[in-house]
Amino acid sequence: MSDRATSGRWSDLAPTAALLAVLVVGLALFAPGFLTSGNVANLGRNASILGLAACGQAVVIITRGLDLSSGSVVALMSVVVIKELDHGPTVAFALAILVALAVGVVNGVLIGLLSVPAFLVTLGMLTGLHGLASYIVGGVSVQAPTGVDVTWASNAQVGFVPVPVVLALAGLALLSLLLRRTTAGRCWYLIGANPEAGRQAGLRVGRLILMAYVVAAGFVAVAGVILAARVQSGQPNLQPTLPFEAIAACAIGGLSMSGGAGRVAGVLTGVLIVSVTENGLVLLNVSDDAQTIVVGVVTVASVILAGRGLPLGRLRLRRARPAPAGSFAGTERGLAS
């Protein structure tokens, strides 16, 4: 594939970058404390969790899939961490990560190898994992034992940069590397644009989709570690809107909901827009219920815009054109920067 195809065009980000700039300027003028160092650090920590979840969501969306289970995964991880702290924080977090990866394997097998629709699989996983997390703790939140410190992944800093921000930036860099520099990443774009053509070309489409869901679970696992460290408790209802916010961020950032196109820079921009919006609503004393409504409206609107190719990032939001059977023509346009 050509260098031009893999580098993308920075001008494509102009609409979303302009929207982000308007939000920042507006909140700086009208939201008290928006630009204070404390709020910026808090915004960065929140955006980091969403950013990692969006990285995972981006991988499966590019393959023409979807993952609605990430919110329940991070909730179950928080429960596992708290319940296993008797064995030490390292073992507890390791077990939680393994649980998240196991969910990714199950999702991948069902969707990639058994061809069950991604929506049904991950919706069922969302419900089932939520029930499992609630069953383990008896339906109530469980606090970490007194004297046990599990906050490092959330509160520590590298220099003046919070560790969650460092982890999110590393995640974005890894996603870019995967999509641009690995065979699997390029194949994800190709099968997302035209899975039948991929099969005819000899690609193991099922295994590649399975790999995509495991990789996505890895990103969600890191987000779950940060969240569990932050709340220091096992919460079966932790971050229920996470998958929808991640989908909104990807759609706003220009990922095609029909697969085969999308850029890492767009994901980052979408994450910042969603995070800044939520942060601004808090500073403006908008109620939690109203915030949830806004997230829902933004998610639906961004997905509709992505499907119709309307102005927000329109060059990259257009529905992918199915390539002729046996051909990958037209898929290279989606390769990310």
Side-chain angles (χ1 to χ4, degrees):
M1 292 184 182
S2 69
D3 291 339
R4 181 179 180 182
T6 58
S7 63
R9 291 180 297 181
W10 288 102
S11 60
D12 292 352
L13 291 175
T16 48
L19 175 59
L20 178 60
V22 169
L23 280 172
V24 170
V25 172
L27 291 172
L29 293 174
F30 300 107
F34 177 70
L35 291 180
T36 60
S37 58
N39 185 62
V40 171
N42 184 54
L43 173 59
R45 288 186 173 91
N46 291 337
S48 299
I49 295 167
L50 177 57
L52 288 163
C55 285
Q57 195 69 249
V59 171
V60 297
I61 286 176
I62 286 171
T63 63
R64 199 177 283 204
L66 195 68
D67 185 2
L68 300 177
S69 66
S70 56
S72 292
V73 169
V74 297
L76 181 59
M77 286 182 68
S78 74
V79 169
V80 171
V81 167
I82 296 304
K83 298 297 286 186
E84 298 299 327
L85 274 179
D86 291 342
H87 303 289
T90 302
V91 173
F93 280 104
L95 287 174
I97 291 172
L98 288 176
V99 167
L101 293 176
V103 172
V105 170
V106 173
N107 283 341
V109 168
L110 293 174
I111 297 167
L113 301 185
L114 301 181
S115 300
V116 182
F119 174 80
L120 296 179
V121 170
T122 59
L123 180 61
M125 197 65 76
L126 178 155
T127 306
L129 294 179
H130 172 71
L132 177 60
S134 183
Y135 174 78
I136 292 174
V137 295
V140 296
S141 297
V142 178
Q143 298 297 318
T146 304
V148 178
D149 185 10
V150 296
T151 61
W152 183 87
S154 175
N155 295 341
Q157 292 184 308
V158 179
F160 62 88
V161 183
V163 164
V165 176
V166 174
L167 292 174
L169 293 176
L172 288 165
L174 176 60
L175 179 61
S176 179
L177 182 67
L178 283 171
L179 295 179
R180 296 186 61 194
R181 302 299 183 188
T182 68
T183 301
R186 291 169 179 259
C187 289
W188 288 335
Y189 279 107
L190 298 178
I191 63 177
N194 194 330
E196 185 55 36
R199 292 187 182 92
Q200 293 184 15
L203 297 180
R204 295 180 174 180
V205 174
R207 291 188 182 185
L208 286 165
I209 292 176
L210 166 60
M211 185 186 301
Y213 278 90
V214 175
V215 170
F219 284 114
V220 173
V222 180
V225 167
I226 297 172
L227 265 174
R230 184 171 187 176
V231 299
Q232 299 185 71
S233 59
Q235 299 185 17
N237 295 315
L238 180 65
Q239 205 82 1
T241 61
L242 183 62
F244 309 107
E245 294 171 10
I247 291 170
C250 290
I252 292 171
L255 270 72
S256 169
M257 293 295 104
S258 56
R263 305 172 59 193
V264 176
V267 174
L268 173 60
T269 309
V271 167
L272 290 176
I273 288 175
V274 173
S275 299
V276 168
T277 300
E278 292 180 340
N279 181 261
L281 292 174
V282 172
L283 293 177
L284 294 172
N285 293 320
V286 177
S287 68
D288 291 344
D289 292 337
Q291 292 178 39
T292 304
I293 292 172
V294 170
V295 170
V297 171
V298 169
T299 301
V300 173
S302 56
V303 170
I304 292 174
L305 287 172
R308 292 174 178 269
L310 293 178
L312 191 63
R314 61 188 176 190
L315 292 178
R316 292 160 287 107
L317 295 177
R318 283 197 295 264
R319 182 177 291 278
R321 295 178 181 177
S327 169
F328 291 131
T331 62
E332 291 185 350
R333 64 178 174 76
L335 289 177
S337 63

